[in-house]
């Protein structure tokens, strides 16, 4: 009597690696699945397919394991491997005034990346080139394996306040000190020869033409100024008043 036994049962997986996540620069480990069969040996192979590509360094690997027995019965199992970019961060950027000198940007990690955006050249930010407003600054870092990522932050450039100062009338050198006025916006500071605590003293300044500077700082910490001159005349000072002359006879 001849009895033919036909194996139609596929192998059964007893272990399949769990889904996992790797950073772009990390080497991907190969952990094989394990399967068993009720009739003979089992060969387990795998095949990787890349899906869901967001960027060259951000995608998904579908690793399919195939278990095949001696009768070519097969079963499959899938492991999902996520590849994510390296972590790149950029700290918030402080506001600046329009007249601030160009400065090197900082706050991006890991160190060694590149800053880009309005007013940026060679990682140097120039507020005068960017102009007044709010701008997005991007920090991009690429490691030795070619893995990269970027982070963004915003920087605000405040305009300088508009400062004016009305002209001063001439004054005699023997007159008393007086409070300076005419600077706008209110709340600024007067300075110059003969000026102390917002008052001008012609005796201290002396005869001549003197510059008076009015400096104002706004709520953003931005400063601007205006300049006018005041003339101190040598005493005695005379005031001339011309009237019409009428001749009789």
């Amino acid at each position: 009597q001849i009895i033919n036994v036909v194996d139609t049962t596929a192998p059964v997986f007893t272990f399949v690696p769990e889904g996992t996540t790797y950073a772009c620069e990390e080497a991907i480990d190969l952990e094989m699945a394990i399967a068993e069969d009720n009739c003979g040996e089992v060969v387990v192979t795998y095949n990787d397919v890349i899906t869901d590509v967001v960027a060259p360094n951000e995608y998904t690997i579908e690793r399919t394991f195939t278990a095949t027995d001696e009768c070519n019965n097969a079963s499959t199992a899938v492991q999902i491997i996520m590849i994510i970019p390296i972590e790149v961060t950029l700290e918030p950027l402080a506001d600046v005034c329009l007249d601030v000198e160009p400065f090197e940007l900082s706050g991006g990690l890991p160190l060694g990346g590149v800053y880009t955006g309005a007013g940026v050249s060679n990682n140097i930010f120039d507020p005068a080139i960017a102009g007044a407003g709010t701008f997005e600054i991007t920090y991009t870092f690429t490691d030795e394996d070619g893995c990269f990522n970027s982070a963004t932050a915003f920087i605000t450039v405040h305009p300088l306040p508009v400062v004016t100062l009305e002209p001063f009338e001439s004054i005699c050198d023997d007159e008393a000190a007086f409070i300076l006025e005419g600077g706008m916006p209110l709340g600024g500071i007067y300075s110059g020869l003969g000026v102390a605590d917002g008052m001008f003293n012609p005796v201290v300044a002396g005869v001549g033409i003197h510059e008076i500077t009015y400096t104002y700082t706004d709520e953003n910490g931005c400063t601007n100024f205006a300049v006018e001159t005041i003339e101190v005349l040598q005493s005695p000072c005379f005031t001339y008043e011309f009237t019409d002359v009428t001749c009789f006879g």
Side-chain angles (χ1 to χ4, degrees):
Q1 182 183 9
I2 298 175
I3 300 176
N4 293 320
V5 177
V6 179
D7 180 10
T8 59
T9 302
V12 176
F13 284 97
T14 58
F15 171 76
V16 177
E18 293 184 356
T20 186
T21 300
Y22 287 89
C24 168
E25 76 278 12
E26 293 180 310
I28 301 174
D29 295 331
L30 173 59
E31 187 177 15
M32 289 297 294
I34 301 173
E36 62 182 18
D37 188 68
N38 62 353
C39 185
E41 294 184 0
V42 178
V43 176
V44 178
T45 59
Y46 76 95
N47 181 61
D48 288 344
V49 175
I50 295 176
T51 64
D52 301 329
V53 177
V54 177
N57 59 341
E58 186 176 2
Y59 52 91
T60 299
I61 298 175
E62 290 187 3
R63 177 166 290 174
T64 301
F65 296 98
T66 301
T68 307
D69 64 16
E70 295 178 355
C71 295
N72 288 325
N73 299 305
S75 58
T76 59
V78 177
Q79 178 191 19
I80 300 298
I81 302 172
M82 304 291 295
I83 306 301
I84 60 174
I86 56 177
E87 183 179 6
V88 175
T89 60
L90 178 57
E91 295 179 358
L93 300 170
D95 294 0
V96 297
C97 298
L98 188 61
D99 62 346
V100 168
E101 292 294 321
F103 60 93
E104 185 173 5
L105 291 166
S106 61
L109 289 175
L111 298 176
V114 176
Y115 296 88
T116 55
V120 179
S121 178
N122 295 324
N123 293 342
I124 301 296
F125 179 73
D126 189 337
I129 293 178
T134 298
F135 307 97
E136 185 177 65
I137 303 298
T138 300
Y139 179 72
T140 303
F141 176 82
T142 304
D143 68 11
E144 62 274 10
D145 298 314
C147 296
F148 64 92
N149 202 359
S150 61
T152 59
F154 290 90
I155 187 169
T156 297
V157 179
H158 294 291
L160 301 184
V162 177
V163 179
T164 60
L165 180 58
E166 295 180 0
F168 296 102
E169 294 183 358
S170 299
I171 187 172
C172 197
D173 66 351
D174 60 357
E175 293 191 31
F178 61 92
I179 297 175
L180 291 167
E181 295 179 329
M184 293 294 291
L186 298 176
I189 297 174
Y190 296 90
S191 60
L193 184 61
V195 178
D197 297 326
M199 300 187 70
F200 179 74
N201 191 330
V203 176
V204 174
V207 175
I209 298 176
H210 308 286
E211 283 191 349
I212 304 296
T213 300
Y214 180 71
T215 304
Y216 175 80
T217 301
D218 65 16
E219 66 276 6
N220 297 313
C222 299
T223 301
N224 205 354
F225 64 91
V227 178
E228 286 289 345
T229 60
I230 186 169
E231 183 176 9
V232 178
L233 303 174
Q234 177 73 52
S235 61
C237 301
F238 299 96
T239 300
Y240 297 94
E241 182 176 349
F242 295 93
T243 61
D244 294 335
V245 177
T246 303
C247 298
F248 296 94

